[in-house]
Amino acid sequence: MQLPSSSVIPLYAQIKEALRAKIVDGTYAPHQRLPSESEMMAAFGVSRITVRQAIRDLQNEGLLFSVHGKGTFVALPKVSQELTHLQGFNEAMHQLGHETFSDVYGLTAVKGDALVCAKLDLKTGAPVTEIRRVRYLNREPVSVDVSYLPHEIGARLSKTGLRDRDLFSLLENELGQPLHSADVEINASSANEEVALRLQVPNQSPILRIERLTYATPTQPLVFEYLHYRAETFKYKLKVLR
């Protein structure tokens, strides 16, 4: 691919736009590996630093992501969820026209550990319901959710109900359980072996790790969750006022 030698646009910017066009028109599909730096150097007739600058800019825009030792890949289009309202994943994504479902691979009664019980205001070792789900967005795995509820409430849930509906929706509409608010903490992390396997990404890939504690009343905790999102596919948005 030859670049116009007379253009006043920097070479790295021309390469960036050429790559962007191929991503947008589907020439490079999501998860497809891009040509190597050496191959792009030869194709465009430019230096390595020029290619790297173009790739770096596209990574910063979320169009590409790199896997150490394997290369640079096209990212899935990112979707976003507002943090200004307490919404379930399905509820938020359906409003944006996306297809969602869940693979519930765990729904069991366990003894809550010290942290889970403290969050739910229970005695350590009290029975809790643990729910493990892979959430799919447009048929691609986007998050692994691990949720904990007091067992007297969680025992009334089923895998069938959780496949196509949000936990929040089931609690409110099926169990008559009110929801009030949630505390949310978001941090950068890396995928452990289980999360990487379920999200179909390499082990230790970067992810968003979210802790969410949802309340039934201002002082009564109801659901404590760990949500693990693929960093290259999902983002949260928040509008703040001065």
Side-chain angles (χ1 to χ4, degrees):
M1 298 177 63
Q2 296 299 316
L3 300 175
S5 57
S6 60
S7 175
V8 297
I9 301 173
L11 290 174
Y12 81 88
Q14 295 181 50
I15 295 171
K16 179 176 69 174
E17 294 309 315
L19 293 175
R20 186 203 307 277
K22 288 186 175 294
I23 293 170
V24 171
D25 69 16
T27 301
Y28 293 140
H31 290 170
Q32 182 175 342
R33 181 182 178 278
L34 259 62
S36 68
E37 289 182 358
S38 297
E39 290 171 327
M40 283 196 275
M41 289 166 57
F44 289 110
V46 297
S47 67
R48 188 177 301 275
I49 193 171
T50 301
V51 169
R52 285 182 174 176
Q53 180 64 59
I55 291 174
R56 188 180 303 117
D57 283 6
L58 291 174
Q59 288 175 334
N60 291 337
E61 294 179 20
L63 291 176
L64 300 176
F65 67 98
S66 294
V67 178
H68 182 68
K70 294 190 175 181
T72 302
F73 298 82
V74 178
L76 287 170
K78 278 196 176 184
V79 294
S80 61
Q81 182 174 345
E82 294 281 353
L83 278 179
T84 50
H85 301 287
L86 179 58
Q87 290 181 304
F89 177 77
N90 289 2
E91 179 184 8
M93 294 301 100
H94 287 174
Q95 290 177 357
L96 298 174
H98 297 290
E99 175 191 1
T100 65
F101 69 90
S102 298
D103 173 18
V104 185
Y105 67 95
L107 178 59
T108 57
V110 299
K111 289 184 178 181
D113 63 23
L115 176 59
V116 168
C117 288
K119 292 288 188 180
L120 293 177
D121 198 19
L122 301 170
K123 290 183 178 180
T124 300
V128 297
T129 297
E130 179 188 77
I131 305 168
R132 293 180 176 267
R133 293 172 290 170
V134 182
R135 314 300 297 274
Y136 285 80
L137 179 69
N138 302 326
R139 304 188 184 184
E140 291 282 347
V142 70
S143 78
V144 174
D145 297 0
V146 183
S147 309
Y148 297 93
L149 302 89
H151 187 55
E152 65 270 16
I153 298 173
R156 299 163 62 189
L157 298 169
S158 68
K159 287 186 177 182
T160 302
L162 286 163
R163 172 178 167 82
D164 297 313
R165 298 183 63 182
D166 277 320
L167 177 58
F168 287 172
S169 174
L170 291 172
L171 289 171
E172 287 183 315
N173 300 316
E174 299 295 330
L175 305 187
Q177 178 65 60
L179 300 176
H180 179 270
S181 58
D183 295 331
V184 178
E185 295 182 12
I186 304 175
N187 59 72
S189 186
S190 56
N192 62 26
E193 187 174 350
E194 177 188 349
V195 170
L197 176 66
R198 299 287 178 178
L199 290 181
Q200 300 175 18
V201 298
N203 196 23
Q204 300 301 309
S205 292
I207 60 171
L208 292 177
R209 184 177 183 273
I210 298 164
E211 290 187 13
R212 182 170 64 190
L213 179 60
T214 303
Y215 292 83
T217 71
T219 59
Q220 180 189 348
L222 179 63
V223 187
F224 178 59
E225 299 175 286
Y226 298 108
L227 314 175
H228 310 86
Y229 280 93
R230 288 171 58 170
E232 83 278 14
T233 64
F234 200 83
K235 62 183 177 181
Y236 276 101
K237 295 196 303 184
L238 178 63
K239 183 174 184 178
V240 295
L241 302 177
R242 184 172 176 82

